[in-house]
């Protein structure tokens, strides 16, 4: 289900840009690669077709795809992939044991423990979602595609607007 929503966001964006004349010419290969780019299909980030197509094209302007084996890109992609796996499968999944849920909430009888469960839940959501995003960005870099960032330390922001704009950056930009 989640993968379908990201695909729907991408296709709605392309349709809207096409209707308003803002969509650049895309080859069928570029369009299909953009719509079905597997690292970002299930959990984002939500990318824009023109930006993504620019990543696929040579800087000289021809439309052949670029999948470079740049050692620094491979290293940073691997680092990001490992970071995402750690966030998701170590931090988020460990916090899930402690995080607020219906079973834990019914057993809590002290305010302090309720706050601990609540904070564990918020951190679990962050590490889960940002972990999946880091995995997607890392895989993208390994394939030579730079996907946009999706999180910018949202829990350190000072107000709700700044939090929202740094929680799921590409979704906020999409809207």
């Amino acid at each position: 289900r989640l993968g379908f929503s990201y695909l729907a966001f991408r296709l709605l964006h392309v349709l809207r840009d096409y209707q308003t004349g803002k969509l650049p010419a895309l080859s069928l290969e570029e369009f299909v690669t953009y719509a079905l780019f597997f690292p970002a299909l299930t959990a984002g980030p939500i990318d824009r077709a023109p930006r993504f197509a620019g990543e696929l094209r040579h800087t000289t302007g021809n439309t052949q795809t670029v999948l470079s084996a740049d050692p620094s890109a491979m290293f940073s992609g691997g680092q990001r992939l490992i970071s995402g796996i750690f966030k998701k499968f170590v931090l988020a999944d460990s916090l899930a044991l402690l995080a607020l849920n219906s079973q834990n909430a019914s057993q809590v009888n002290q305010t302090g423990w309720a706050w601990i469960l609540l904070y564990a839940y918020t951190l679990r959501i962050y590490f889960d979602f940002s972990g999946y995003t880091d995995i997607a960005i890392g895989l993208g870099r390994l394939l030579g595609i730079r996907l946009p960032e999706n999180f910018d330390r949202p829990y350190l922001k000072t107000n709700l607007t700044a939090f929202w704009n740094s929680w799921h950056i590409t979704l906020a930009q999409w809207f």
Side-chain angles (χ1 to χ4, degrees):
R1 290 186 315 188
L2 190 58
F4 177 75
S5 67
Y6 281 94
L7 180 59
F9 282 143
R10 287 180 176 173
L11 296 178
L12 284 171
H13 149 69
V14 168
L15 181 61
R16 183 70 180 139
D17 278 1
Y18 177 76
Q19 288 174 337
T20 60
K22 295 179 184 176
L23 186 67
L26 297 174
S27 69
L28 179 61
E29 179 185 0
E30 289 171 334
F31 176 74
V32 170
T33 303
Y34 163 74
L36 301 176
F37 190 61
F38 80 91
L41 191 59
T42 59
I46 302 167
D47 206 351
R48 299 266 180 192
R51 197 214 63 80
F52 187 86
E55 286 289 320
L56 287 174
R57 296 174 182 165
H58 289 288
T59 55
T60 59
N62 94 33
T63 58
Q64 293 179 344
T65 60
V66 179
L67 295 178
S68 67
D70 176 26
S72 66
M74 299 297 275
F75 182 74
S76 69
Q79 271 187 318
R80 194 69 179 264
L81 180 64
I82 290 169
S83 170
I85 289 170
F86 180 77
K87 280 182 184 179
K88 166 54 185 134
F89 295 106
V90 175
L91 297 177
D93 288 355
S94 296
L95 284 167
L97 301 172
L98 179 65
L100 184 63
N101 59 39
S102 59
Q103 184 179 6
N104 289 349
S106 66
Q107 296 175 1
V108 171
N109 57 10
Q110 294 178 356
T111 306
W113 277 108
W115 280 106
I116 289 171
L117 295 178
L118 183 63
Y119 280 116
Y121 180 73
T122 61
L123 289 173
R124 177 196 176 208
I125 290 172
Y126 170 73
F127 287 129
D128 192 57
F129 199 36
S130 73
Y132 276 128
T133 300
D134 286 347
I135 291 169
I137 290 172
L139 284 172
R141 284 188 186 165
L142 290 175
L143 295 171
I145 303 294
R146 292 187 67 87
L147 294 172
E149 291 296 329
N150 221 11
F151 292 92
D152 182 21
R153 301 179 302 260
Y155 287 134
L156 299 178
K157 303 304 179 198
T158 57
N159 60 53
L160 191 56
T161 302
F163 170 83
W164 173 253
N165 289 329
S166 63
W167 174 264
H168 193 320
I169 296 168
T170 59
L171 181 62
Q173 291 171 348
W174 188 85
F175 282 121

